Amino acid sequence: RDEPSSPPRFLVLLTGHEEVNGHIEYIFFVMHASGCAWKVRWRFSDLLTAHTRLSAVLHALPPFPPKGLPGLGLLFGQELLVQRAQQLQCYFECAVAQERIARAPGFQSLLGVQPPGAVASVRVRRWLPTSSVHTASVELEVALLGDPGKGPVEEVIATAFLRPSPSSVAGGRCLPGETLLVNCLPAGEDVQIQVRAC
């Protein structure tokens, strides 16, 4: 089994439900550790279908709440909705506590995760001396687009290429908001540095 991540990268809160076209949709507030937040809506039956599909590849998924018999909603009404909401909340809390599940693209799709926005700008903060005369290091300041329709950024990655060769020669990575350090750049060479948000 997967060990829980600390802290979980997602917070999922079931905030309510609404009747839409004769069916109940559960409303979830999702927040990523980066601070991005959004809402997703799911019918119970669609969540069950997604869980069944995901459990074929993610064997550590927690058990899904039972479906129940047809007509129970009419018989138990609000009581069934409250019980089901509590079970769904528990399901998502257990799932996002496991790093492997929280990182899985299929599970992130269930949470409504979108690809991150693009890098807005890159600025050389400073060049750093190294112990070798053949290499150099550079600190980069990376600004990300603040597009609210885009997903969370987990890290920023730099890859350096010798020009015109497509071979990478150096790289670096950092968390959003941190300084990006690229080490081991060949001194005296024309280098292109590609920076992207992931």
Side-chain angles (χ1 to χ4, degrees):
R1 275 183 89 88
D2 284 338
E3 292 297 314
S5 63
S6 63
R9 69 184 45 233
F10 293 102
L11 170 70
V12 181
L13 297 173
L14 197 155
T15 59
H17 61 273
E18 185 178 314
E19 187 174 336
V20 177
N21 298 326
H23 299 286
I24 298 297
E25 287 187 357
Y26 293 92
I27 304 163
F28 298 90
F29 171 80
V30 182
M31 181 185 285
H32 184 263
S34 68
C36 286
W38 59 92
K39 288 185 179 182
V40 291
R41 302 167 72 102
W42 286 101
R43 288 177 53 184
F44 184 86
S45 60
D46 293 335
L47 287 171
L48 176 59
T49 300
H51 169 81
T52 302
R53 183 177 34 82
L54 286 171
S55 62
V57 291
L58 295 172
H59 304 292
L61 273 175
F64 197 77
K67 184 176 180 181
L69 300 172
L72 279 181
L74 293 173
L75 186 61
F76 292 104
Q78 192 66 27
E79 185 180 324
L80 178 67
L81 291 175
V82 169
Q83 179 185 16
R84 195 170 265 178
Q86 291 170 342
Q87 293 170 336
L88 286 170
Q89 181 64 51
C90 183
Y91 172 79
F92 278 104
E93 285 174 5
C94 292
V96 298
Q98 297 181 59
E99 184 75 14
R100 189 169 150 258
I101 292 172
R103 282 190 177 273
F107 186 76
Q108 288 189 359
S109 175
L110 190 65
L111 296 178
V113 175
Q114 300 292 314
V119 171
S121 65
V122 178
R123 182 178 78 79
V124 173
R125 189 165 177 211
R126 65 181 171 157
W127 288 93
L128 302 171
T130 64
S131 58
S132 168
V133 296
H134 302 290
T135 64
S137 295
V138 64
E139 284 185 352
L140 302 173
E141 221 170 73
V142 180
L144 303 171
L145 286 177
D147 185 351
K150 292 297 184 179
V153 175
E154 296 204 4
E155 66 181 342
V156 177
I157 299 176
T159 308
F161 301 92
L162 278 177
R163 290 176 57 159
S165 167
S167 302
S168 66
V169 292
R173 57 184 358 128
C174 69
L175 296 174
E178 292 181 350
T179 299
L180 178 58
L181 179 63
V182 182
N183 290 313
C184 301
L185 293 168
E189 297 288 339
D190 192 9
V191 177
Q192 176 182 354
I193 300 176
Q194 182 182 70
V195 179
R196 63 188 166 92
C198 300

